[in-house]
Amino acid sequence: MRHLSLALHCLIPVAALSVAATAHAQIASDDFESGNPNLWGVEFVIPGMQMPTGGNPGGKLSLTIANSASQLPAAMIVPASPGHPYSGNLRALGAAEFRFDRQVEAGSSNFGTLPFLVLGNDGGTPTNFSDDAWLFTPTGDNFQFGFVPYATISTAIPSGELLLPATWDVQAFPNHPLAQAGSTNDEIWNGVMQDVSYVGISMSRPWNGGAWFGSHLLSLDNFVLDVGASIGTNYCGPAVLNSAGLSGEIIAQGTPVASQNSMEVTAVSLPNNVFGFFLSSPMQGFVMNPGGSTGHLCLAGQIGRYVGPGQVQNSGAFGSINLDIDLTNVPTPNGFVSIVAGNTWNFQAWHRDGSPAGPT
């Protein structure tokens, strides 16, 4: 590998994956059994009312939503608590889904109501939409008049995607830094996904879709921001800061059932436009600054390198690389092997990086 004037930087956090065990987790959840701790309500200023009964099945949140109470084309339900957990680097967290239960107690809308899921970055002024940037997609829900019984509304969040997915749209308001920088849609997608300030439920398309004229009394319950199919356990972190001032992280997604052979690893928070690849081993270890690297090696034993065609990747403008792992074809120094049920394997990302002191 040619070092040239760049230093190899080995990221500390590594996903240790047990292919025989299931691992699911939630980033945030609210069941409204004993209150509304994250202050879910309309646009940060009108909190919903928690009720001890009538939910799905227990306590619930009751909200009256009307276009007359909104500062937006379509009223949005958001958490107003400054410390709410529906935020963060959703890519590094491996966010995969937002879901909730809703019942329409009464409602009307001139054109029907097609709710959208919104992921927002506040641009520096919380509770003020004027400098926000949004990622949004339809939830598939549809209600117009009268009563609509409880249903679970689940919306996938493709947080690992580096390009704007076809079913999603973006908007950066003029005062948001991404708009002022003239960012592309893909850059807005990545910028917001890695720094989400809040999750919102918009009563219609939140931008460039015409004003929403409606009024609904909603019962809401069981909000969950889920990592869904995230697998494995991170260890040996946080990473030594790289030249972008970030600690690189690694995410594993897929199924923990070895026979299904479905796994993808993604390294995020890397410097832009650097080359990197993944390493694997059945053994963990710790070697400080191997070969003069800036970071530390957290593998031991028979370490394999994913350096085949297309496997050495450039982190590009978004500081990320990812790879589909074929569990039947895992590299080792002595050839390729298969990972079978009951095995535990460890993965780490290794990438080039600049150094103010020159090559290392």
Side-chain angles (χ1 to χ4, degrees):
M1 188 178 203
R2 295 173 59 203
H3 288 201
L4 300 177
S5 61
L6 300 175
L8 284 173
H9 188 100
C10 184
L11 302 186
I12 291 178
V14 182
L17 173 67
S18 173
V19 297
T22 300
H24 296 283
Q26 296 176 356
I27 298 169
S29 64
D30 276 297
D31 61 12
F32 305 108
E33 296 296 316
S34 58
N36 180 17
N38 292 307
L39 300 180
W40 284 92
V42 182
E43 299 174 15
F44 307 112
V45 295
I46 307 175
M49 180 181 296
Q50 187 271 343
M51 296 184 177
T53 59
N56 196 24
K60 69 176 182 179
L61 186 71
S62 180
L63 278 169
T64 299
I65 310 292
N67 66 304
S68 60
S70 174
Q71 58 177 305
L72 299 170
M76 193 184 303
I77 302 167
V78 291
S81 171
H84 74 81
Y86 297 84
S87 62
N89 184 337
L90 295 197
R91 176 164 298 154
L93 292 169
E97 177 189 49
F98 180 73
R99 63 182 181 272
F100 61 98
D101 297 339
R102 68 98 188 97
Q103 180 165 283
V104 183
E105 307 298 342
S108 64
S109 175
N110 288 1
F111 309 108
T113 299
L114 305 172
F116 277 63
L117 174 66
V118 179
L119 307 179
N121 176 276
D122 65 29
T125 55
T127 75
N128 184 342
F129 290 119
S130 66
D131 64 349
D132 288 12
W134 288 338
L135 315 178
F136 51 94
T137 188
T139 64
D141 199 10
N142 181 4
F143 47 90
Q144 295 185 350
F145 302 98
F147 175 83
V148 183
Y150 268 115
T152 298
I153 309 304
S154 176
T155 306
I157 300 175
S159 60
E161 295 292 333
L162 300 182
L163 302 178
L164 177 66
T167 58
W168 285 74
D169 207 345
V170 302
Q171 173 64 38
F173 289 85
N175 291 331
H176 192 278
L178 289 171
Q180 295 177 345
S183 301
T184 65
N185 285 349
D186 290 334
E187 289 168 339
I188 295 172
W189 165 262
N190 284 276
V192 175
M193 186 62 73
Q194 295 177 89
D195 189 13
V196 171
S197 303
Y198 58 87
V199 173
I201 305 166
S202 174
M203 289 295 98
S204 187
R205 183 180 175 86
W207 184 259
N208 197 26
W212 165 77
F213 297 98
S215 178
H216 298 86
L217 175 59
L218 301 180
S219 291
L220 302 174
D221 204 356
N222 301 321
F223 285 25
V224 176
L225 180 59
D226 204 338
V227 297
S230 178
I231 53 178
T233 302
N234 288 95
Y235 71 95
C236 199
V240 174
L241 294 178
N242 56 45
S243 63
L246 303 171
S247 292
E249 300 179 62
I250 189 169
I251 305 160
Q253 292 181 296
T255 170
V257 180
S259 61
Q260 294 182 5
N261 195 14
S262 176
M263 176 181 165
E264 179 185 59
V265 289
T266 302
V268 299
S269 299
L270 312 185
N272 294 346
N273 302 309
V274 298
F275 285 97
F277 58 89
F278 291 94
L279 308 173
S280 64
S281 174
M283 294 181 61
Q284 297 182 9
F286 185 82
V287 180
M288 294 183 65
N289 311 120
S293 293
T294 304
H296 313 310
L297 180 64
C298 298
L299 305 177
Q302 298 294 303
I303 298 174
R305 303 188 303 163
Y306 284 92
V307 292
Q311 293 180 338
V312 178
Q313 302 174 43
N314 190 285
S315 65
F318 309 126
S320 178
I321 61 174
N322 69 292
L323 184 68
D324 287 325
I325 301 297
D326 182 355
L327 300 181
T328 68
N329 208 32
V330 178
T332 75
N334 300 316
F336 293 89
V337 300
S338 294
I339 296 178
V340 298
N343 291 165
T344 297
W345 278 69
N346 309 285
F347 296 84
Q348 184 163 11
W350 185 308
H351 68 85
R352 290 187 176 190
D353 198 3
S355 168
T360 62

